[in-house]
Amino acid sequence: SQQGEEDPQALSIQEGENATMNCSYKTSINNLQWYRQNSGRGLVHLILIRSNEREKHSGRLRVTLDTSKKSSSLLITASRAADTASYFCAERDFGNEKLTFGTGTRLTIIP
Amino acid sequence: DAGITQSPRHKVTETGTPVTLRCHQTENHRYMYWYRQDPGHGLRLIHYSYGVKDTDKGEVSDGYSVSRSKTEDFLLTLESATSSQTSVYFCAISDPQQPQHFGDGTRLSIL
C-alpha cells in the first residue's frame, strides 16, 4: 500500500491558537489513527476513529473522517508550547493489523 | 513507555558488517513491528510478527530479516549493512484491534 499524505508539511502558530492538520489516504480503511512524535522519541497514540464514525473528541483534540473523500483532519484547540511535535496519521485496512503512516506534519507552537 | 526497550539506542558501523537490533517488551502483546523512519518518508514497515515464530514482510523488507523465538523479543538483522540502511529504527507492539505502542528508536549509521 502507498503512504498517505499530510497537509501541511509544516505549521507554525501562536500559542493559544487552533491547529488543523489534514490527512489523505489511499485504501478502504478499517480505522484511521493519529500519533504524535516529540523530537528524538517514539510515536505516541492520540486517537483512533473507525470507518463508521465521522467525528471523535479527546480533550483538546477533535478528529473528523470523511470516507467519501478518503480524508481525515486533526484539530488541536487552544494550543500550548508542549504541543510542538510531529503529527502522523496512519490508516489500517481490513484483514490485518498493519498500519500505513503518512509523512507527517511538523507543528511548532510559538510562545 | 508501554514496556518496550530497544537496544542499542545508537550504533555506528561499516558497510558490509552484520547488525542486529533488539526489541524487548514486558506487555505480553501479540504483535510486534519494525519500522524505519527517514526524512520525507514518514514511517515504513519493514517486518512484523503476529506470534512466536510467525512473521511477515512489510513494505521495505529487502535486506532485512527478523526472528521471534519468544513473545517478548523481536530481532531485526541486517545481514550485510549498506549505507542506504542508515536510518532511525522503531519497534512497536500491539494487541489485536488496538493502537500500537512505540519504543524510543535506534539511530543506526552505516559508513
Side-chain angles (χ1 to χ4, degrees):
Chain A
S1 58
Q2 297 178 21
Q3 285 186 304
E5 295 183 358
E6 296 185 59
D7 170 50
Q9 290 187 327
L11 178 63
S12 292
I13 60 173
Q14 296 288 333
E15 192 168 20
E17 294 181 338
N18 296 340
T20 300
M21 289 158 271
N22 302 296
C23 166
S24 61
Y25 58 90
K26 308 290 185 182
T27 64
S28 296
I29 58 169
N30 177 297
N31 63 62
L32 189 131
Q33 303 176 29
W34 285 89
Y35 289 79
R36 183 188 75 232
Q37 184 180 33
N38 291 95
S39 182
R41 303 298 301 273
L43 277 70
V44 174
H45 178 256
L46 295 175
I47 199 164
L48 181 153
I49 186 165
R50 303 189 190 283
S51 59
N52 61 352
E53 298 176 311
R54 292 296 168 260
E55 187 170 312
K56 203 160 184 180
H57 296 254
S58 177
R60 294 184 295 113
L61 306 181
R62 172 178 168 252
V63 168
T64 61
L65 180 65
D66 186 337
T67 53
S68 66
K69 295 181 180 178
K70 289 188 167 56
S71 68
S72 175
S73 67
L74 170 67
L75 169 67
I76 303 174
T77 61
S79 63
R80 306 167 181 170
D83 294 329
T84 293
S86 292
Y87 292 81
F88 295 88
C89 67
E91 58 185 270
R92 180 172 165 265
D93 54 13
F94 293 92
N96 62 70
E97 295 288 329
K98 294 188 289 185
L99 293 179
T100 301
F101 284 85
T103 52
T105 293
R106 184 168 184 81
L107 175 64
T108 302
I109 307 301
I110 304 166
Chain B
D1 292 307
I4 308 171
T5 304
Q6 291 187 231
S7 60
R9 294 294 315 279
H10 303 270
K11 186 172 182 68
V12 180
T13 190
E14 294 183 348
T15 301
T17 60
V19 177
T20 295
L21 308 183
R22 181 182 183 233
C23 178
H24 178 78
Q25 62 151 325
T26 58
E27 305 296 318
N28 201 36
H29 284 344
R30 177 180 172 187
Y31 291 88
M32 299 186 76
Y33 313 81
W34 277 108
Y35 294 90
R36 60 178 290 174
Q37 185 175 32
D38 305 288
H41 289 281
L43 271 79
R44 292 180 292 175
L45 183 65
I46 304 171
H47 283 280
Y48 70 103
S49 169
Y50 48 96
V52 173
K53 297 186 179 178
D54 291 323
T55 65
D56 203 353
K57 296 179 180 180
E59 179 187 356
V60 289
S61 60
D62 287 349
Y64 301 94
S65 62
V66 290
S67 66
R68 191 171 179 196
S69 59
K70 46 187 177 178
T71 299
E72 55 266 37
D73 289 326
F74 193 33
L75 303 181
L76 176 70
T77 297
L78 292 65
E79 299 290 348
S80 178
T82 68
S83 59
S84 64
Q85 294 175 310
T86 291
S87 187
V88 182
Y89 291 85
F90 287 96
C91 175
I93 62 175
S94 74
D95 272 332
Q97 305 289 317
Q98 297 300 312
Q100 294 182 13
H101 301 281
F102 284 78
D104 278 337
T106 294
R107 187 171 296 274
L108 178 63
S109 296
I110 300 164
L111 307 178

